Amino acid sequence: DTDSISSGSTPGTHFEKIDQRRAIRDAMTKLTPEQSLVVSLRFGSGYSLEETALLMEKNINAIKALQFRAFTFLKQTIESESV
């Protein structure tokens, strides 16, 4: 269970981690379909840039740009919602 309290952590840090995961999931739903796919392939499935480019039929620079924009958006969204 990923939401169980691990040894050495406090209930406070445990709930902060749950809130962080929830914020990430919520922000992920706001990505464009292509950005979401890049993030899922690269970090959910572990594909390389090259493999992701082949699967999406795009060049590597396009994948890098989609990934960068996705992470920039996620960071900004999560930071603005945590204020």
Side-chain angles (χ1 to χ4, degrees), residues 9-28:
S9 75
T10 65
T13 58
H14 171 72
F15 289 114
E16 285 175 18
K17 289 178 184 177
I18 290 173
D19 286 343
Q20 288 172 345
R21 283 194 291 264
R22 186 175 301 119
I24 292 168
R25 276 194 306 269
D26 291 347
M28 285 281 295

Side-chain angles (χ1 to χ4, degrees), residues 28-65:
M28 285 281 295
T29 66
K30 298 174 186 171
L31 293 174
T32 67
E34 283 191 327
Q35 290 171 340
S36 180
L37 183 56
V38 166
V39 172
S40 295
L41 290 172
R42 294 275 292 123
F43 303 98
S45 300
Y47 287 107
S48 68
L49 284 169
E50 294 82 4
E51 293 166 327
T52 302
L54 285 172
L55 288 168
M56 292 184 67
E57 299 179 351
K58 295 187 176 294
N59 67 48
I60 291 172
N61 287 332
I63 299 302
K64 288 179 183 178

